[in-house]
Each structure stands twice: as C-alpha cells, then as structure tokens.
C-alpha cells in the first residue's frame, strides 16, 4: 500500500459541499483505505482574480492502486461533480482533485506529474498538508515543516468543521 495525499479544491456550486462529496467518494475508492482529511481552508484565487474564492483541503489515503488507476478514478469523481475538463486554464471549477504525493514516487508521465508541480508554493496546499502530516518528508528530502515555515501566509482562512 502507498500513502497518497490528494489536494481538493472547488470554487463553484457550493464549494464546501463539493469537498464533502469528494471526501465521500474518496472513502469508497477500491483497493484503498481513507485515512484523513484536513480542515477546509478558504483563500483568494491564485491566478485570474475574476472568479470566486476557493475552498481547499488535503486528504490522505492508503492505496494499492497504480498511480494512473487512481488518476482515472479521481478524474471520474471530478466529472461526476460537473467538472467540465478543458475549461480555460486556471479558470473556476466545481471540483479539482490533484494527486500531490504518491508514496515516494517521482512521476513525469503524459498524464501525471508527482509530486504535484505547485505543491511547495501553494499555501492552500502546504498548510492543510502540514495539518494532517506534520512529520512529512517529501521525495526531495525537504520537510513540510521547513516548507511551511518559509512560505508567506497571505489570506488562508481555516474554516470550522
Ligand atoms: C486556478 C488555480 C491555479 N488557483 C487556485 N487558487 C486557489 N486559492 N485554490 C485552488 O485550488 C486553485 N486552483 C487552481 O487551479
């Protein structure tokens, strides 16, 4: 089994509900065990500002699925929640599920880049990840503690459960 961390994000159609539904779907993934989900965090959009604020979280599962099998399933969950893929790059979305980390794997395939390219610069990823995995060491050898300590906290708000 591999320990996988998934970034969840939504800024359309009741984003908190979208994340609730995503967690429910992740709890039923085959050959996987749901471990935890962080608090939800609200933040201004990174990138184009002409869209609503986002709600983000990081979830953790153990899985024996292969990376691309997991990607197929997370993309199916996004589509089930109305995600229209090929939407404008960095545009608003009903639900985004990003594979942030897949065990110690470093992958650069057509479909999958792991660790996720934005992992260490996005406060809406770093802080929820640190919340559920404070001792985490990334495949690069950097610790989530170090990354969080050097990342300026702009406007991230932890939402009540
Ligand atoms: C559009 C872009 C880059 N900006 C984001 N901005 C925030 N705050 N949260 C996201 O999940 C997010 N996702 C994206 O894909």
């Amino acid at each position: 089994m591999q320990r996988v961390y998934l970034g969840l994000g939504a800024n359309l159609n009741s984003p908190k509900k979208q994340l609730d539904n995503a967690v429910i779907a992740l709890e039923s993934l085959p050959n996987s065990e749901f471990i935890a989900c962080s608090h939800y965090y609200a933040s201004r959009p990174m990138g184009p500002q002409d869209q609503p604020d986002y709600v983000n979280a990081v979830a953790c599962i153990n899985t024996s699925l292969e990376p691309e099998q997991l990607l197929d399933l997370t993309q199916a969950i996004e589509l089930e929640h109305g995600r229209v893929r090929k939407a404008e790059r960095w545009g608003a979305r009903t639900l985004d599920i990003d594979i942030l980390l897949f065990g110690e794997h470093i992958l650069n395939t057509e479909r999958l880049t792991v660790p996720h390219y934005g992992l260490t610069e996005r406060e809406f990823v770093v802080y929820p990840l640190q919340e559920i995995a404070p001792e985490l060491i990334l495949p690069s050898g950097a610790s989530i503690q170090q990354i969080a300590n050097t990342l300026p906290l702009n406007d991230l708000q932890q939402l009540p459960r």
Side-chain angles (χ1 to χ4, degrees), residues 31-145:
N31 307 324
S32 305
E33 180 198 354
F34 187 86
I35 302 294
C37 186
S38 70
H39 279 81
Y40 293 174
Y41 292 78
S43 63
R44 293 289 305 132
M46 183 184 88
Q49 296 295 302
D50 57 341
Q51 59 179 306
D53 285 0
Y54 276 81
V55 176
N56 289 102
V58 170
C60 177
I61 63 171
N62 281 336
T63 188
S64 51
L65 292 167
E66 292 302 316
E68 302 224 339
Q69 289 177 312
L70 177 61
L71 179 63
D72 289 339
L73 291 166
T74 56
Q75 287 185 337
I77 296 168
E78 287 175 334
L79 290 174
E80 277 152 35
H81 292 81
R83 166 77 185 266
V84 177
R85 294 198 72 76
K86 311 240 182 317
E88 57 155 323
R89 182 167 154 71
W90 287 24
R93 63 274 322 273
T94 46
L95 178 64
D96 221 3
I97 302 176
D98 291 327
I99 298 174
L100 302 173
L101 291 165
F102 198 104
E104 291 294 312
H105 287 53
I106 294 177
L107 300 166
N108 288 292
T109 71
E110 268 290 291
R111 299 178 64 201
L112 207 46
T113 299
V114 174
H116 188 275
Y117 64 90
L119 193 158
T120 58
E121 298 98 53
R122 295 178 171 192
E123 61 181 6
F124 55 84
V125 173
V126 169
Y127 288 93
L129 181 55
Q130 183 191 25
E131 178 196 335
I132 62 169
E135 306 307 317
L136 183 68
I137 305 291
L138 303 186
S140 66
S143 76
I144 192 65
Q145 209 70 42

